[in-house]
Amino acid sequence: MNRKEFFKVSFAGAAAIAAASAGLTACASATRGKDAKSPAGKLNLSFQENTAPGETYGEKLDFMENLGIAGLELWGGGLAGRVNDIRQALNGRDIQVTAICAGFEGFILAEDPAVKAQFDTTMREIVRAAGELGSTGVIMVPAFNNQKPCRPHTLETRDFLCSELHALGEYAKSCGTTVILEPLNRREAFYLRLVGDAAAIARDADSEGVKVMGDFWHMQEEVSDYGAFYSAGKYLQHVHVASRGNRLMPGEDGEKDNYRDGFRALKELGYDKYVSFECGTQGDRATTVTRAVELLRAQWAEA
Ligand code: MG
């Protein structure tokens, strides 16, 4: 599943996408992001918009509540135009907005100033809406392999990235949320592959608004799940989970789907954010999703 597909299968009830242009003015209103965390030591699960079965937004949220799913991860494209719909849908429910998954245009390491400007404008628009929704942060990848022309992979580019992230992080902080660097695997994004490297960039960006995440699917790059999460330490703000062979629901790849080593690090860190599903399924969705939740809770208890 790629992010375009994710977008296509997002909730039908929130299809009205406003492509309002964004200003770069400071955002002082929202502060809920800092509160969007759950008790440490507990496995707080989150679903993306297409994870739960159901024809309508309401049916999907009912399914999530019945399973005790604490969070909802939203697609970032057009988020500003969906804020009110999302608030209404979650009103009275025990489900929080977790991370916002990308959705911006352009990319931060673009060599073309117009493409970089596209990123700056659309990313800040999403960050602002994320703050209004109390999101834990907006997920971003510095550069996918297919995004060209891209700044070269040099020390100067890293310095540039840290400087740009500092400004973006401070903006996110002023909006009550964060930006979250997502390392991917080398086939998708050679630039940033390791959770520990992302955390070092976040440290050097020197802003409380710059965080990182680990995705169990992409973490095939890591030598150790435990070491990867542990090295992220206080910068760890979000986790994605999928089966470890074919990116399906956890459990659909059988014995490969072992998350205990990573979960042990999360427990030791006192990680209090969310573990969010980012995966498809080959089975009956209601069945595979329910089994996946049971599997993750069992492994969390064992970790
Ligand atoms: Mg991911």
Side-chain angles (χ1 to χ4, degrees):
M1 182 182 58
N2 64 32
R3 288 181 172 169
K4 273 190 181 145
E5 285 163 350
F6 173 6
F7 180 49
K8 279 187 209 155
V9 295
S10 291
F11 287 131
I17 303 301
S21 65
L24 300 182
T25 52
C27 171
S29 58
T31 54
R32 287 189 55 219
K34 284 176 195 150
D35 301 321
K37 61 183 186 180
S38 300
K42 185 169 167 281
L43 175 61
N44 305 302
L45 293 174
S46 160
F47 282 180
Q48 287 185 337
E49 296 181 82
N50 61 344
T51 304
E55 294 297 312
T56 65
Y57 218 120
E59 283 177 19
K60 286 171 180 282
L61 293 172
D62 286 346
F63 184 93
M64 290 170 64
E65 278 192 324
N66 287 336
L67 266 183
I69 303 304
L72 176 65
E73 177 177 324
L74 301 163
W75 175 248
L79 190 69
R82 298 175 63 201
V83 167
N84 287 336
D85 285 350
I86 292 160
R87 277 186 176 148
Q88 269 180 15
L90 295 181
N91 187 31
R93 291 185 184 268
D94 198 15
I95 297 175
Q96 307 297 318
V97 173
T98 63
I100 306 300
C101 191
F104 47 83
E105 294 166 35
F107 62 111
I108 197 167
L109 294 182
E111 271 197 328
D112 181 342
V115 177
K116 169 63 166 51
Q118 238 181 354
F119 169 81
D120 289 336
T121 304
T122 57
M123 180 64 172
R124 279 167 172 76
E125 179 185 355
I126 294 167
V127 165
R128 201 160 53 243
E132 289 173 16
L133 288 166
S135 162
T136 52
V138 182
I139 298 167
M140 61 175 283
V141 173
F144 284 87
N145 290 345
N146 63 1
Q147 289 181 305
K148 290 179 178 152
C150 180
R151 287 174 183 267
H153 201 157
T154 61
L155 181 58
E156 288 72 24
T157 295
R158 189 185 188 280
D159 290 344
F160 171 83
L161 178 61
C162 290
S163 163
E164 291 292 311
L165 284 172
H166 176 81
L168 186 56
E170 291 297 294
Y171 179 76
K173 194 178 156 195
S174 78
C175 293
T177 189
T178 70
V179 293
I180 304 173
L181 292 173
E182 181 172 18
L184 304 186
N185 64 72
R186 67 190 65 198
R187 291 181 301 282
E188 295 182 49
F190 207 90
Y191 192 88
L192 187 58
R193 302 179 293 109
L194 300 172
V195 175
D197 190 28
I201 290 170
R203 177 199 61 201
D204 295 344
D206 192 25
S207 167
E208 285 175 27
V210 179
K211 300 288 188 180
V212 306
M213 62 173 291
D215 180 323
F216 274 105
W217 163 253
H218 297 293
M219 283 165 62
Q220 57 194 270
E221 291 284 335
E222 307 281 352
V223 174
S224 157
D225 294 339
Y226 178 90
F229 282 133
Y230 209 85
S231 65
K234 66 177 184 179
Y235 298 100
L236 189 66
Q237 187 81 352
H238 197 58
V239 172
H240 275 161
V241 71
S243 78
R244 311 197 79 172
N246 297 297
R247 210 177 194 182
L248 303 171
M249 290 297 158
E252 284 192 76
D253 284 320
E255 292 299 310
K256 274 189 181 175
D257 296 342
N258 187 336
Y259 309 93
R260 294 176 187 86
D261 194 42
F263 281 174
R264 188 164 55 89
L266 299 184
K267 287 168 95 167
E268 288 182 20
L269 285 168
Y271 177 72
D272 60 5
K273 305 298 191 302
Y274 296 88
V275 175
S276 194
F277 282 54
E278 185 176 54
C279 49
T281 184
Q282 284 180 342
D284 170 65
R285 186 169 288 274
T287 306
T288 57
V289 170
T290 303
R291 282 186 187 154
V293 168
E294 287 166 359
L295 176 83
L296 294 179
R297 286 180 176 151
Q299 291 196 4
W300 181 268
E302 290 161 14

Coordinates of all heavy atoms in Angstrom, one line a residue, residues 1-15 17 47-57 60 72-75 82 249 277-281 285:
M1 N 0.8 -1.2 0.0 CA 0.0 0.0 0.0 C 0.9 1.2 0.0 O 1.8 1.4 0.8 CB -0.9 0.0 1.3 CG -1.8 1.2 1.3 SD -2.7 1.2 2.9 CE -1.4 1.2 4.1
N2 N 0.7 2.1 -0.9 CA 1.4 3.4 -0.9 C 0.5 4.5 -0.4 O -0.7 4.3 0.0 CB 2.0 3.7 -2.2 CG 0.9 4.0 -3.3 OD1 -0.2 4.5 -2.9 ND2 1.2 3.7 -4.5
R3 N 1.0 5.7 -0.2 CA 0.3 6.7 0.4 C -0.8 7.3 -0.5 O -1.8 7.8 0.0 CB 1.2 7.8 0.9 CG 2.0 7.2 2.1 CD 2.9 8.1 2.8 NE 3.4 7.4 4.0 CZ 4.4 7.8 4.7 NH1 5.0 8.9 4.4 NH2 4.7 7.1 5.8
K4 N -0.7 7.1 -1.8 CA -1.8 7.5 -2.7 C -3.0 6.6 -2.4 O -4.1 7.0 -2.4 CB -1.3 7.5 -4.1 CG -0.7 8.7 -4.6 CD -0.5 8.7 -6.0 CE 0.2 10.0 -6.4 NZ 1.1 9.9 -7.5
E5 N -2.7 5.3 -2.3 CA -3.8 4.3 -2.1 C -4.5 4.6 -0.7 O -5.7 4.5 -0.6 CB -3.2 2.9 -2.1 CG -2.9 2.5 -3.6 CD -2.0 1.3 -3.6 OE1 -1.5 0.9 -2.6 OE2 -1.9 0.7 -4.7
F6 N -3.6 4.9 0.2 CA -4.1 5.3 1.6 C -5.1 6.4 1.4 O -6.2 6.3 1.9 CB -2.9 5.6 2.4 CG -3.3 6.2 3.8 CD1 -4.5 6.2 4.3 CD2 -2.2 6.7 4.6 CE1 -4.8 6.7 5.6 CE2 -2.5 7.2 5.8 CZ -3.8 7.2 6.3
F7 N -4.8 7.4 0.7 CA -5.6 8.6 0.5 C -6.9 8.2 -0.2 O -8.0 8.6 0.3 CB -4.9 9.6 -0.4 CG -5.7 10.8 -0.6 CD1 -6.2 11.5 0.4 CD2 -5.8 11.3 -1.9 CE1 -6.9 12.7 0.2 CE2 -6.5 12.5 -2.2 CZ -7.1 13.2 -1.1
K8 N -6.9 7.3 -1.2 CA -8.1 6.9 -1.9 C -9.1 6.2 -1.0 O -10.3 6.3 -1.2 CB -7.7 6.0 -3.1 CG -7.2 6.7 -4.3 CD -7.0 5.7 -5.4 CE -5.9 6.1 -6.4 NZ -5.3 5.0 -7.0
V9 N -8.6 5.4 -0.1 CA -9.5 4.6 0.7 C -9.8 5.3 2.0 O -10.3 4.6 2.9 CB -8.9 3.2 0.9 CG1 -8.8 2.4 -0.4 CG2 -7.6 3.2 1.6
S10 N -9.5 6.5 2.2 CA -9.8 7.2 3.4 C -11.3 7.4 3.5 O -12.0 7.1 2.6 CB -9.2 8.6 3.4 OG -7.8 8.5 3.5
F11 N -11.7 7.7 4.7 CA -13.1 7.8 5.0 C -13.9 8.5 4.0 O -13.6 9.7 3.7 CB -13.4 8.5 6.3 CG -13.0 7.7 7.5 CD1 -12.2 8.2 8.5 CD2 -13.5 6.4 7.7 CE1 -11.9 7.5 9.6 CE2 -13.1 5.6 8.8 CZ -12.4 6.2 9.8
A12 N -15.0 7.9 3.5 CA -15.8 8.6 2.5 C -16.5 9.8 3.1 O -16.7 10.8 2.4 CB -16.8 7.6 1.9
G13 N -16.8 9.7 4.3 CA -17.6 10.8 5.0 C -16.8 12.1 5.1 O -17.3 13.1 5.4
A14 N -15.5 12.0 4.8 CA -14.7 13.2 5.0 C -14.0 13.5 3.7 O -12.9 14.0 3.6 CB -13.7 13.0 6.1
A15 N -14.8 13.3 2.6 CA -14.2 13.4 1.3 C -14.0 14.9 0.8 O -13.3 15.1 -0.1 CB -15.0 12.7 0.2
I17 N -12.4 17.9 0.4 CA -11.0 18.3 0.6 C -10.8 19.7 0.2 O -11.0 20.1 -0.9 CB -10.0 17.4 -0.2 CG1 -10.2 15.9 0.1 CG2 -8.6 17.8 -0.1 CD1 -10.0 15.6 1.5
F47 N -5.3 3.3 14.7 CA -5.6 2.8 13.3 C -5.5 4.0 12.3 O -5.8 5.1 12.7 CB -7.0 2.3 13.2 CG -7.2 0.9 13.7 CD1 -8.5 0.3 13.6 CD2 -6.2 0.1 14.3 CE1 -8.7 -1.0 14.1 CE2 -6.4 -1.2 14.8 CZ -7.6 -1.7 14.7
Q48 N -5.0 3.7 11.1 CA -5.2 4.7 10.0 C -6.6 4.6 9.6 O -7.4 3.8 10.0 CB -4.2 4.4 8.9 CG -2.8 4.7 9.2 CD -1.8 4.5 8.0 OE1 -2.1 3.8 7.1 NE2 -0.7 5.2 8.1
E49 N -7.0 5.6 8.7 CA -8.4 5.7 8.4 C -9.0 4.5 7.6 O -10.2 4.4 7.6 CB -8.6 7.0 7.5 CG -8.2 8.3 8.3 CD -8.4 9.5 7.5 OE1 -9.6 10.0 7.5 OE2 -7.4 10.1 7.0
N50 N -8.1 3.8 7.0 CA -8.6 2.7 6.2 C -8.4 1.3 6.9 O -8.6 0.3 6.3 CB -7.9 2.6 4.8 CG -6.4 2.4 5.0 OD1 -5.8 2.6 6.1 ND2 -5.7 2.1 3.9
T51 N -8.0 1.3 8.1 CA -7.7 0.1 8.8 C -8.9 -0.7 9.2 O -9.1 -1.9 8.9 CB -6.8 0.3 10.1 OG1 -5.7 1.0 9.7 CG2 -6.4 -1.0 10.7
A52 N -9.9 0.0 9.9 CA -11.1 -0.7 10.4 C -12.0 -1.0 9.2 O -12.1 -0.3 8.2 CB -11.8 0.1 11.4
P53 N -12.8 -2.1 9.3 CA -13.8 -2.4 8.3 C -15.0 -1.5 8.6 O -15.1 -0.9 9.7 CB -14.2 -3.8 8.6 CG -13.9 -4.1 10.1 CD -12.7 -3.2 10.4
G54 N -15.9 -1.3 7.6 CA -17.0 -0.4 7.8 C -17.3 0.4 6.6 O -16.3 0.8 5.9
E55 N -18.5 0.7 6.3 CA -18.9 1.4 5.1 C -18.8 2.9 5.4 O -18.5 3.7 4.5 CB -20.3 1.1 4.7 CG -20.5 -0.3 4.2 CD -19.7 -0.6 2.9 OE1 -19.8 0.2 2.0 OE2 -19.0 -1.6 2.9
T56 N -19.1 3.3 6.6 CA -19.1 4.7 6.9 C -18.1 5.0 8.0 O -17.6 4.1 8.7 CB -20.5 5.1 7.5 OG1 -20.7 4.4 8.7 CG2 -21.6 4.8 6.5
Y57 N -17.8 6.3 8.1 CA -16.9 6.8 9.2 C -17.4 6.3 10.6 O -16.7 5.7 11.4 CB -17.1 8.4 9.2 CG -15.8 9.1 9.5 CD1 -15.3 10.0 8.6 CD2 -15.1 9.0 10.7 CE1 -14.2 10.8 8.8 CE2 -14.0 9.8 11.0 CZ -13.5 10.6 10.0 OH -12.4 11.4 10.3
K60 N -16.8 2.6 11.1 CA -15.3 2.3 11.4 C -15.0 2.7 12.8 O -14.3 2.0 13.6 CB -14.5 3.1 10.4 CG -14.5 2.6 9.0 CD -13.8 3.5 8.1 CE -13.8 3.0 6.6 NZ -12.7 2.0 6.4
L72 N -6.6 7.5 16.3 CA -6.9 7.5 14.8 C -5.8 8.4 14.1 O -5.6 9.5 14.5 CB -8.3 8.2 14.6 CG -8.7 8.4 13.1 CD1 -8.8 7.0 12.4 CD2 -10.0 9.1 13.0
E73 N -5.1 7.7 13.2 CA -4.1 8.4 12.4 C -4.7 8.9 11.1 O -5.3 8.1 10.4 CB -2.9 7.5 12.1 CG -1.8 8.1 11.2 CD -0.6 7.2 11.0 OE1 -0.2 6.5 11.9 OE2 -0.1 7.2 9.9
L74 N -4.6 10.2 10.8 CA -5.2 10.7 9.6 C -4.3 11.0 8.5 O -3.1 11.3 8.7 CB -5.9 12.1 10.0 CG -6.9 12.0 11.1 CD1 -7.2 13.4 11.7 CD2 -8.2 11.4 10.6
W75 N -4.8 11.0 7.3 CA -4.0 11.4 6.1 C -3.9 12.9 6.1 O -4.9 13.6 6.4 CB -4.7 10.9 4.8 CG -4.0 11.4 3.6 CD1 -4.5 12.2 2.6 CD2 -2.7 11.0 3.1 NE1 -3.6 12.4 1.6 CE2 -2.5 11.7 1.9 CE3 -1.7 10.2 3.6 CZ2 -1.3 11.6 1.2 CZ3 -0.5 10.1 2.9 CH2 -0.3 10.8 1.7
R82 N -10.8 19.5 6.6 CA -11.5 18.4 7.3 C -11.6 18.5 8.8 O -12.2 17.7 9.5 CB -10.8 17.1 7.0 CG -10.7 16.7 5.5 CD -9.9 15.4 5.3 NE -10.5 14.3 5.9 CZ -9.9 13.2 6.3 NH1 -8.6 13.1 6.0 NH2 -10.5 12.2 6.9
M249 N -1.8 -7.3 7.9 CA -2.1 -7.1 9.3 C -1.1 -8.0 10.1 O -0.7 -9.1 9.7 CB -3.5 -7.6 9.6 CG -4.6 -6.8 9.1 SD -4.6 -5.1 9.8 CE -5.5 -4.2 8.5
F277 N -1.4 1.2 13.1 CA -1.4 0.2 12.0 C -1.2 1.0 10.7 O -1.9 2.0 10.4 CB -2.8 -0.5 11.9 CG -3.0 -1.6 12.9 CD1 -2.8 -1.4 14.3 CD2 -3.4 -2.8 12.5 CE1 -3.0 -2.4 15.2 CE2 -3.5 -3.9 13.4 CZ -3.4 -3.6 14.8
E278 N -0.3 0.5 9.9 CA -0.1 1.0 8.5 C 0.1 -0.2 7.6 O 1.2 -0.7 7.4 CB 1.1 2.0 8.4 CG 1.2 2.6 7.0 CD 2.3 3.6 6.9 OE1 3.5 3.3 7.2 OE2 2.0 4.7 6.4
C279 N -1.0 -0.8 7.2 CA -0.9 -2.1 6.5 C -2.2 -2.4 5.8 O -3.2 -1.9 6.1 CB -0.5 -3.2 7.5 SG -1.6 -3.2 8.9
G280 N -2.1 -3.4 4.8 CA -3.3 -3.9 4.2 C -3.7 -5.2 4.8 O -3.2 -5.6 5.9
T281 N -4.5 -6.0 4.1 CA -4.8 -7.3 4.5 C -5.2 -8.2 3.3 O -5.6 -7.7 2.3 CB -6.0 -7.3 5.5 OG1 -6.2 -8.7 6.0 CG2 -7.3 -6.8 4.9
R285 N -11.3 -8.5 6.6 CA -10.7 -7.4 7.4 C -11.2 -7.4 8.9 O -10.3 -7.3 9.8 CB -11.1 -6.0 6.7 CG -10.5 -4.8 7.4 CD -10.6 -3.6 6.6 NE -9.8 -3.6 5.4 CZ -8.5 -3.2 5.3 NH1 -8.0 -2.7 6.4 NH2 -7.9 -3.2 4.2

